[in-house]
Amino acid sequence: MINNRFEGKQKRGTLIGVQKDDQPDNHLIADNIFLDQQKNVFNELDIKEAIRYNGNSWEAIRIGDSKASQWPSKSKFINNLMINMDGERELISIKSGENLIAGNTIFESASLISLRHGKANTVDSNIILGNEKRLTGGMRIYDENHVISNNYISGTRGRDGLIEGNADLRGGIVINTGIIDVENNEVLDQSVKGKELNKQWTPKNITINNNTLVDTEWGIVYGNQTHRVSLFNNDVVETVFTGVDVSFENNVVDNTKNPEFVSVRAVADHPLVDASYQNEVYVGTVTEASQIDNFSIELPKSVSENGLMAYENTGADISKLSVVTAETAGPDYQLINAANVK
């Protein structure tokens, strides 16, 4: 699926859905433009009793689903341009394994890359520019064995989403809580009531390296959110678990412009388990800093190149980053007087 333009979707329902079985799909979704997706144009969120249901399933793309999530898809979502895509917290919803999300540019979109289900996904060399728009964010993480590398995230705003109970926690990089004890090898199981595959798999063995976050109101966020039983049952799950074996290396969070912004948000009652840190730079507010073994508050030398900040010996390698534009993505034609086409 290459060189398409998807524009102006205003009703609930995933824009592009990749259904799968137990075999790899090897799909390629590349060089497309996604533009101007807005929810609640038809007042769906005004129905209080159904707000959580109606606030879900607005993804631009979903690769896999919960029941098939533990199988690999091996699909690539690369070099796409996404502008003003405000459907919900999940912009790119990954629900399968071994996918590559790379080289995309996301601009002013109140949503996140979501590793919702599935293992061993890679999120690499994406540029996410919030431009100070409310509820913009970078990515959120569930499940195991993911690599988050060489991404550039700038100008994101807001932490808590608009719909209570939807685990709508936003930030530059969010390590969510889950409902299973992965430290002791507990797993989700479709046959176990309350712990089916559509629930929240606690993050484990996550590699987060060489990412740059600049002017992010909430930078790296350690989750402490609760979870609800289902979209139709607002009862709170009694026990949640935090991420296990999360490795941070060569990341920089630069909130020099707004030092009150939270570069790392850790919480006393939900620390990460066996997290490791190497050559981390956090400038701005760091909460519960005693949980973090090693980080610097001194910015290294930096230069601005093509509007992106490059930091010496840490952060993203911006020579490997490229902003996707309408000149490189989307169709190579333009409709003229489209309103008159019958």
Side-chain angles (χ1 to χ4, degrees):
M1 182 180 293
I2 60 173
N3 294 105
N4 300 285
R5 181 182 179 112
F6 305 97
E7 181 175 359
K9 188 174 188 297
Q10 297 177 341
K11 288 191 175 182
R12 182 180 179 273
T14 304
L15 177 58
I16 298 172
V18 176
Q19 299 299 112
K20 65 174 282 70
D21 55 18
D22 60 350
Q23 298 300 309
D25 308 302
N26 298 301
H27 295 305
L28 173 66
I29 303 101
D31 301 305
N32 301 288
I33 295 175
F34 297 81
L35 179 65
D36 292 338
Q37 181 179 21
Q38 300 296 315
K39 63 178 177 294
N40 207 36
V41 173
F42 299 98
N43 303 313
E44 299 95 335
L45 302 185
D46 292 349
I47 307 170
K48 183 178 180 181
E49 294 79 7
I51 187 172
R52 291 183 58 231
Y53 178 81
N54 286 336
N56 197 29
S57 295
W58 291 81
E59 307 96 329
I61 183 167
R62 172 178 48 77
I63 301 177
D65 57 48
S66 59
K67 290 183 180 179
S69 62
Q70 298 307 299
W71 295 322
S73 179
K74 297 188 177 181
S75 292
K76 296 179 180 180
F77 185 83
I78 59 174
N79 302 331
N80 298 285
L81 175 62
M82 313 184 88
I83 301 174
N84 197 35
M85 296 292 289
D86 296 346
E88 57 151 298
R89 64 200 176 283
E90 294 188 315
L91 175 61
I92 303 165
S93 180
I94 303 301
K95 297 185 176 182
S96 54
E98 300 179 41
N99 298 290
L100 174 65
I101 304 94
N104 303 289
T105 296
I106 301 172
F107 183 71
E108 290 189 2
S109 294
S111 194
L112 299 91
I113 298 170
S114 178
L115 303 184
R116 182 61 184 86
H117 304 294
K119 292 177 170 57
N121 293 294
T122 298
V123 182
D124 184 84
S125 299
N126 300 283
I127 298 175
I128 301 173
L129 305 174
N131 203 28
E132 302 183 13
K133 181 177 177 177
R134 172 134 173 80
L135 293 182
T136 49
M139 57 204 69
R140 67 174 194 160
I141 303 165
Y142 291 101
D143 220 308
E144 303 185 12
N145 305 330
H146 304 306
V147 176
I148 312 297
S149 181
N150 209 62
N151 299 284
Y152 191 97
I153 303 168
S154 176
T156 57
R157 295 291 186 270
R159 182 174 72 87
D160 294 309
L162 301 176
I163 302 176
E164 184 179 358
N166 267 13
D168 199 355
L169 184 64
R170 309 194 184 200
I173 299 175
V174 180
I175 303 103
N176 274 321
T177 57
I179 68 166
I180 54 173
D181 183 5
V182 295
E183 185 180 11
N184 291 302
N185 300 315
E186 186 180 12
V187 299
L188 294 179
D189 187 329
Q190 196 64 19
S191 66
V192 178
K193 185 173 176 58
K195 295 192 176 180
E196 298 88 350
L197 288 171
N198 66 340
K199 300 303 192 294
Q200 297 80 19
W201 195 302
T202 309
K204 181 180 180 181
N205 191 30
I206 308 299
T207 299
I208 301 172
N209 67 282
N210 292 94
N211 299 285
T212 294
L213 287 73
V214 179
D215 189 34
T216 52
E217 185 176 7
W218 296 88
I220 299 174
V221 177
Y222 303 176
N224 70 335
Q225 72 274 34
T226 57
H227 298 283
R228 306 302 171 104
V229 172
S230 74
L231 281 175
F232 307 100
N233 185 340
N234 278 325
D235 291 343
V236 175
V237 175
E238 290 184 2
T239 305
V240 296
F241 299 87
T242 55
V244 176
D245 295 331
V246 182
S247 171
F248 299 92
E249 184 174 356
N250 296 328
N251 301 290
V252 57
V253 186
D254 179 3
N255 277 325
T256 304
K257 182 179 176 182
N258 292 290
E260 73 278 9
F261 283 2
V262 179
S263 293
V264 178
R265 184 259 196 176
V267 289
D269 56 343
H270 287 80
L272 296 178
V273 178
D274 293 333
S276 63
Y277 304 85
Q278 184 173 340
N279 195 34
E280 292 287 284
V281 178
Y282 304 143
V283 177
T285 301
V286 177
T287 67
E288 299 296 329
S290 61
Q291 293 183 18
I292 303 171
D293 288 341
N294 180 33
F295 69 95
S296 173
I297 59 172
E298 299 293 331
L299 275 182
K301 292 180 180 179
S302 61
V303 296
S304 176
E305 297 182 14
N306 297 320
L308 304 179
M309 295 300 299
Y311 299 86
E312 187 174 66
N313 299 322
T314 192
D317 180 353
I318 64 172
S319 70
K320 298 179 180 178
L321 299 176
S322 179
V323 175
V324 180
T325 70
E327 294 179 353
T328 59
D332 60 0
Y333 61 84
Q334 183 177 358
L335 293 177
I336 304 300
N337 296 324
N340 297 322
V341 175
K342 301 298 184 182

